[in-house]
């Protein structure tokens, strides 16, 4: 049963983060906690219209704002900010109207946030003699921080629309730091997206590029018909046709470590480790899809994402063990349904997705929101 044990350590954060406290998205936040990441949470909530004092202490008012955000975006209303909720907060920025509901099948809109015009606004509009602009005119703007699609984005720019871009790329399986700064890595990831979808690979986000990006994110979050992955003779798995990019990224990540042995605490001090334990394995594939910034132990995974099974991905976790089911097959360090290829211990693809339920564990069932 040693191979079934989780581990309580988490992956080390960069030295700068250690000096100033945990950065936003690297831990689950809830009432009673404090730190710089709580301040970031409060600033982001306020920017989205959920006015919250930026004090660095997660109190009742912050919890109420989190609840309103969760309700607005059809997330589980529990007042807890896990990694996925943090990503959506960062991706939303000021683009509230463009961010999709994670569950419930809402489509991705392309309109901007509308508010009731004030008397001053109406007066200003009457006095203005500026000519009416079309989409192309708006996209040609190079300054300011607009809704995604209202200006052409390129390296060197920054703002809320860049944050939305980075969040959407991550949701499509192209892991991108959501910091609002369009740097070389963001450009490289935009080019990867363009190449994958037969667009001009210039790293420039025009209106047409962001429109296709939005449509693909909507499709990925909707999930569509779920297919089943297959396990090849060499033990690697192949994603089914039509699987969301995030699912494909998870399976690709799992394939990279199927020849690794089981090592207690493996995958918790570094992503590329000599071996992995159960929670290190699950964390690795979630990280590969840009859905986890630091490794979680099996207990931590009990609160990851959303409750219940997912369409494409389901996580089973209790205090002693965890595994993940992706497109109908299990990625697990314990073999409750072969094949065991390659031979040996460690994370492998298994044909029996729920075999571990027979071991008596009291498993919590979770899934990444939208999958």
């Amino acid at each position: 049963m040693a191979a079934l044990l989780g581990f309580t350590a988490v992956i080390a954060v960069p030295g700068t983060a250690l000096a100033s406290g945990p950065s936003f998205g690297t831990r689950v936040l809830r009432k009673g906690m404090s730190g710089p990441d709580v301040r970031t949470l409060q600033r982001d909530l306020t920017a989205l219209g959920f006015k919250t004092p930026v004090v660095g202490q997660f109190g009742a008012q912050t919890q109420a704002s989190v609840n309103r955000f969760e309700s607005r975006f059809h997330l589980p209303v529990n007042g807890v900010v896990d990694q996925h909720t943090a990503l959506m907060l960062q991706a939303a920025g000021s683009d509230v109207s463009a961010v999709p509901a994670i569950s419930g099948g809402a489509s991705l809109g392309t309109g901007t946030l509308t508010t009731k015009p004030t008397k001053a606004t109406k007066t200003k509009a009457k006095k203005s003699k500026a000519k009416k602009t079309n989409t192309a005119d708006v996209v040609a703007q190079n300054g300011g921080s607009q809704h995604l699609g209202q200006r052409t984005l390129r390296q060197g720019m920054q703002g809320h629309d860049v944050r939305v871009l980075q969040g959407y790329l991550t949701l499509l399986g192209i892991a991108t730091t959501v910091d609002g700064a369009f740097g070389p890595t963001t450009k490289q990831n935009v080019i990867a997206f363009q190449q994958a979808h037969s667009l001009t690979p210039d790293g420039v986000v025009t209106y047409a590029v962001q429109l296709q990006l939005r449509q693909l994110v909507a499709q990925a979050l909707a999930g569509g018909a779920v297919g089943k992955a297959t396990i090849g003779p060499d033990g690697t798995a192949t994603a089914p046709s039509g699987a969301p990019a995030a699912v494909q990224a998870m399976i690709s990540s799992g394939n990279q470590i199927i020849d690794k042995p089981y090592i207690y605490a493996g995958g918790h001090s570094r992503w590329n480790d000599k071996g992995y334990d159960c929670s290190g394995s699950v964390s690795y594939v979630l990280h590969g899809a840009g859905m986890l910034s630091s490794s979680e132990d099996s207990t931590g995974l009990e609160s990851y994402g959303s409750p219940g099974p997912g369409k494409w991905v389901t996580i089973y976790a209790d205090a002693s063990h965890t595994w993940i089911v992706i497109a109908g097959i299990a990625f697990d360090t314990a073999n409750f349904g072969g094949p065991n290829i390659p031979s040996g211990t460690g994370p492998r693809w298994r044909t029996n997705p729920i075999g571990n339920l027979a071991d008596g564990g009291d498993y919590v069932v979770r899934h990444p929101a939208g999958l």
Side-chain angles (χ1 to χ4, degrees):
M1 293 297 290
L4 300 182
L5 295 177
F7 185 61
T8 57
V10 294
I11 194 167
V13 295
T16 54
L18 288 173
S20 58
S23 58
F24 187 52
T26 61
R27 62 173 180 163
V28 177
L29 297 178
R30 51 174 54 86
K31 188 177 179 181
M33 300 177 70
S34 60
D37 49 353
V38 176
R39 294 179 64 87
T40 300
L41 166 66
Q42 292 163 335
R43 283 195 297 269
D44 283 356
L45 286 167
T46 299
L48 286 168
F50 306 101
K51 189 173 181 180
T52 311
V54 182
V55 295
Q57 180 68 36
F58 197 129
Q61 191 166 350
T62 299
Q63 185 180 48
S65 295
V66 171
N67 285 339
R68 291 198 301 273
F69 172 82
E70 291 168 332
S71 177
R72 167 68 176 80
F73 291 100
H74 303 281
L75 295 165
V77 181
N78 55 18
V80 176
V81 181
D82 58 19
Q83 285 82 1
H84 190 79
T85 303
L87 171 63
M88 293 313 298
L89 272 162
Q90 291 177 313
S94 63
D95 203 21
V96 178
S97 64
V99 177
I102 297 304
S103 60
S107 62
L108 225 66
T110 56
T112 57
L113 179 63
T114 57
T115 56
K116 185 177 181 180
T118 62
K119 182 177 181 180
T121 302
K122 292 179 180 178
T123 302
K124 184 177 180 180
K126 290 180 180 179
K127 291 181 178 180
S128 176
K129 295 182 179 180
K131 68 176 182 178
K132 182 179 180 180
T133 59
N134 57 28
T135 300
D137 294 326
V138 177
V139 171
Q141 297 176 8
N142 289 318
S145 182
Q146 313 294 326
H147 300 293
L148 180 63
Q150 288 190 322
R151 61 174 180 164
T152 296
L153 295 178
R154 53 175 53 87
Q155 186 172 340
M157 300 176 73
Q158 55 186 325
H160 289 298
D161 46 0
V162 177
R163 289 159 64 95
V164 175
L165 166 68
Q166 293 166 329
Y168 285 177
L169 287 170
T170 299
L171 286 172
L172 287 176
I174 307 175
T176 309
T177 300
V178 182
D179 58 8
F182 198 130
T185 300
T186 298
K187 179 179 179 179
Q188 178 182 341
N189 290 349
V190 169
I191 290 174
F193 169 78
Q194 292 170 323
Q195 290 174 331
H197 300 285
S198 302
L199 300 169
T200 303
D202 56 8
V204 177
V205 182
T206 61
Y207 179 81
V209 171
Q210 70 81 31
L211 183 59
Q212 185 159 353
L213 180 69
R214 288 180 184 277
Q215 292 171 343
L216 290 168
V217 169
Q219 293 170 12
L221 292 177
V226 177
K228 186 172 183 178
T230 57
I231 303 174
D234 61 351
T236 60
T238 301
S241 175
V247 171
Q248 297 179 43
M250 289 183 200
I251 289 178
S252 177
S253 296
N255 286 340
Q256 295 175 24
I257 62 172
I258 61 169
D259 60 342
K260 300 289 186 178
Y262 178 90
I263 295 180
Y264 183 76
H268 291 282
S269 61
R270 61 184 67 85
W271 286 121
N272 297 316
D273 214 338
K274 295 180 179 179
Y276 297 82
D277 68 2
C278 60
S279 53
S281 302
V282 173
S283 295
Y284 186 90
V285 297
L286 291 172
H287 174 70
M291 293 186 168
L292 196 63
S293 57
S294 60
S295 62
E296 293 278 357
D297 63 6
S298 57
T299 302
L301 289 167
E302 291 182 29
S303 60
Y304 174 84
S306 300
K311 295 179 181 179
W312 287 94
V313 182
T314 301
I315 299 166
Y316 296 86
D318 72 1
S320 63
H321 187 54
T322 186
W323 79 97
I324 188 168
V325 176
I326 306 171
I329 60 174
F331 191 63
D332 199 347
T333 55
N335 187 5
F336 283 86
N340 193 49
I341 302 172
S343 61
T345 62
R348 306 287 189 269
W349 294 108
R350 319 292 187 182
T351 53
N352 187 345
I354 58 173
N356 285 334
L357 295 181
D359 74 1
D362 184 18
Y363 293 103
V364 174
V365 181
R366 309 285 295 186
H367 71 275
L371 293 175

